[in-house]
Amino acid sequence: MSKAIIVVDFAYKGAKRKGYGTGRTGLSSTLKYLQYRDKVQNQLAENRDYERWQDRGMGLHWRDILKNSDQMQSKHVLAWTWVISPAPDLMALVPEHKRRDFVCDLTEHVVEDYYTERGFDLLEYSYILHDRSTEDEGLQQLHTHVVLPGTAPSVAERLPVYNNKERGHDALFRQVATQHFAAMLDDDIGPEWRREREDERTRG
């Protein structure tokens, strides 16, 4: 089996607290952690010009995101939390000065196209870019954490959004992310990355 070129995952915070890390308190803690993550782990935060949250309708601060999550929650879901993490070895092929914008653009393409594929109107979201070094190879691992409401807008009223692995939503998520990342790599560095991955698969 070929190595995945991007790792994505979704989870949710329920509308009701059912233990540690759940409900509104759990979401609040998660948002604070993402915003104030240790500078040793988040090298980007050492730059005074670094803007933590990218606001696409949910807010630029954890308090705003929490407030908007309250207002746009569904019966069961307070907010969705996603992780979008392109493979470090492939990101290393992208010129360093382009990487941050590359991952931000990738994140927005994935979020917006996934909801389009699900038949929803474009919804509000915010995301934050984090950086760390991989343990095995010492490569930079840029990735984003995305926070989305429990509902999506529609003409009449907001509609609840559920992501279920049993209904293939996780497979769709991976498919959308993989297609966009592959297309962006093709545009930015050419098809060489595909040959390298094929060589890795052959050697493996």
Side-chain angles (χ1 to χ4, degrees), residues 73-184:
Q73 65 181 292
S74 69
K75 181 179 180 181
H76 301 105
V77 178
L78 177 60
W80 286 98
T81 57
W82 290 8
V83 176
I84 298 176
S85 182
D89 62 320
L90 295 179
M91 283 302 303
L93 302 176
V94 178
E96 186 173 1
H97 70 280
K98 293 184 177 181
R99 291 175 192 166
R100 180 188 175 190
D101 288 342
F102 186 103
V103 177
C104 288
D105 289 344
L106 172 63
T107 297
E108 295 181 17
H109 285 312
V110 171
V111 172
E112 294 168 12
D113 199 25
Y114 174 79
Y115 274 84
T116 297
E117 290 292 327
R118 290 285 310 277
F120 290 109
D121 290 342
L122 180 61
L123 82 170
E124 308 83 355
Y125 63 98
S126 290
Y127 65 93
I128 192 167
L129 182 67
H130 278 179
D131 184 15
R132 68 176 182 178
S133 296
T134 59
E135 294 181 359
D136 297 334
E137 302 169 329
L139 295 172
Q140 182 183 39
Q141 187 174 10
L142 287 170
H143 58 285
T144 54
H145 296 267
V146 190
V147 181
L148 313 98
T151 59
S154 70
V155 175
E157 59 184 357
R158 298 191 68 89
L159 302 174
V161 177
Y162 296 104
N163 296 300
N164 298 304
K165 293 183 179 180
E166 294 77 9
R167 297 185 179 181
H169 297 152
D170 61 330
L172 176 63
F173 191 12
R174 289 194 301 271
Q175 176 186 327
V176 169
T178 299
Q179 289 176 345
H180 278 295
F181 187 34
M184 290 177 66

Side-chain angles (χ1 to χ4, degrees), residues 16-52:
K16 296 181 179 179
R17 181 175 172 82
K18 296 183 179 180
Y20 180 78
T22 63
R24 192 176 190 277
T25 300
L27 178 60
S28 175
S29 297
T30 296
L31 294 174
K32 290 176 187 177
Y33 167 76
L34 294 175
Q35 182 161 327
Y36 300 120
R37 189 175 176 181
D38 189 342
K39 290 183 179 180
V40 173
Q41 293 179 311
N42 185 10
Q43 298 172 17
L44 293 173
E46 296 176 4
N47 183 350
R48 292 176 61 90
D49 296 327
Y50 172 65
E51 185 179 50
R52 286 180 170 82

